[in-house]
DNA sequence: TATTGTTATACTCTATAACTATA
DNA sequence: TATAGTTATAGAGTATAACAATA
């Protein structure tokens, strides 16, 4: 009942049940977070996918559409529609790469930079974590980083 | 750099940055988990939404369609199509409630019970958590429960 | 009149396949 | 021939509005 009451050694079955409960809770929690962020994106006039695309772009470097598709883990064909909307909103400009004229690189405009900042804020809105103290938050951070590939908590690109 | 290096008191800005990083990491992690579960559901011949609907149903009690919609946090109109597929697959039966003939309650069949068990397993597949030790897992569980409404980690309906 | 389930409809997200223009 | 971006198309998910049956 008290926190951290785990016995030193868990049986395989107990371990599996515990892990399963954690996974289901994570899935549930992520739904609530997604709901929150989607509302914030809508207030910016962006659909979730468009907001995510803008967030993924690099404001300081032209990114090829192909590259964006890889970062978003989706098919290139989807990027076209996403970038159409971003370009229509004046947040991104398409630019043919002089080096290889097959490539169209995506340049974030000044407006795009501003909105991207707002998107980042929406994705950082942590009202859900209000119940945690500072040290608990740090512990959670460390555990999550260990889960999603044991990297360093600083800035390893795994944003 | 080392884990749990949090200073006793965090400034408001530092706290916000830390919380934001945790939120973004949770969102990222949930994408990977969703991807895994969707594959598992497909192997059961179920789409993600249909699998989730079946999982939400109570095998021991007829649930009104309206009630399921509330549990899934979606419009009633969607439940119709979801249940159509579940009924076509022989996993659920529609039954008019004798008490109030407006209601159609959803009864999980024997086949449905079996598949629902498989769905539960898919949603509990915690390969992603393999990097954590037993006590870390328990700590993570406690933190997540505290986040999503400070309940008890046992079984408070907040599955 | 209010509510349940259904239907019709539309929009978003995503994938596949075929097309074009470059290389 | 291989690759980048585009287009056409389809399916899943979800929302709104209107409708029939029941309360």
């Amino acid at each position: 009942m008290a926190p951290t009451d785990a016995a030193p050694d868990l049986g395989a079955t107990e371990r599996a049940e515990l892990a399963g409960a954690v996974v289901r809770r994570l899935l549930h929690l992520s739904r609530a977070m997604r709901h929150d962020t989607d509302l914030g994106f809508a207030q910016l006039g962006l659909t979730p996918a468009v907001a995510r695309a803008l967030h993924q772009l690099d404001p300081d470097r032209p990114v090829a559409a192909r590259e964006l598709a890889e970062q978003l883990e989706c098919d290139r064909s989807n990027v076209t529609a996403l970038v159409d909307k971003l370009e229509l909103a004046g947040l991104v400009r398409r630019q043919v790469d002089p080096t290889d004229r097959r490539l169209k690189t995506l340049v974030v405009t000044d407006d795009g930079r501003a909105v991207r900042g707002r998107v980042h804020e929406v994705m950082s809105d942590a009202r859900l974590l209000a119940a945690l103290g500072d040290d608990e938050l740090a512990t959670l951070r460390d555990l999550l980083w260990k889960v999603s590939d044991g990297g360093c908590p600083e800035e390893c690109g795994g944003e």
Side-chain angles (χ1 to χ4, degrees), chain A:
Chain A
M1 182 161 242
T4 320
D5 59 337
D9 275 24
L10 256 50
T13 309
E14 288 166 315
R15 156 99 194 180
E17 276 173 19
L18 173 54
V22 168
V23 166
R24 293 193 301 278
R25 178 58 54 124
L26 277 169
L27 287 168
H28 183 265
L29 190 59
S30 76
R31 282 218 160 240
M33 290 192 303
R34 199 68 63 103
H35 185 254
D36 279 3
T37 54
D38 289 359
L39 279 180
F41 297 152
Q43 288 175 346
L44 296 175
L46 304 173
T47 66
V50 171
R52 194 164 153 258
L54 178 58
H55 184 256
Q56 202 62 252
L57 285 175
D58 188 335
D60 303 320
R61 177 181 64 96
V63 171
R66 174 70 200 279
E67 199 179 342
L68 179 58
E70 283 166 3
Q71 288 170 340
L72 295 175
E73 291 177 303
C74 75
D75 194 85
R76 334 185 215 22
S77 60
N78 299 312
V79 171
T80 299
L82 261 29
V83 175
D84 279 350
K85 288 176 192 161
L86 285 171
E87 202 170 30
L88 194 66
L91 307 178
V92 159
R93 232 176 344 104
R94 274 187 245 242
Q95 209 170 26
V96 175
D97 185 336
T99 299
D100 183 341
R101 303 201 24 227
R102 290 175 300 182
L103 303 187
K104 281 183 189 166
T105 58
L106 310 172
V107 180
V108 180
T109 66
D110 289 343
D111 281 2
R113 242 177 284 268
V115 175
R116 186 176 174 276
R118 305 286 302 275
V119 168
H120 190 79
E121 286 172 17
V122 169
M123 290 180 65
S124 307
D125 181 17
R127 280 168 303 171
L128 273 172
L129 303 181
L132 300 187
D134 287 351
D135 46 356
E136 288 173 322
L137 203 51
T139 303
L140 180 55
R141 175 201 58 185
D142 292 336
L143 289 174
L144 290 180
W145 249 272
K146 190 165 182 179
V147 166
S148 48
D149 250 339
C152 68
E154 311 305 331
E155 208 68 27
C156 307
E159 184 84 357

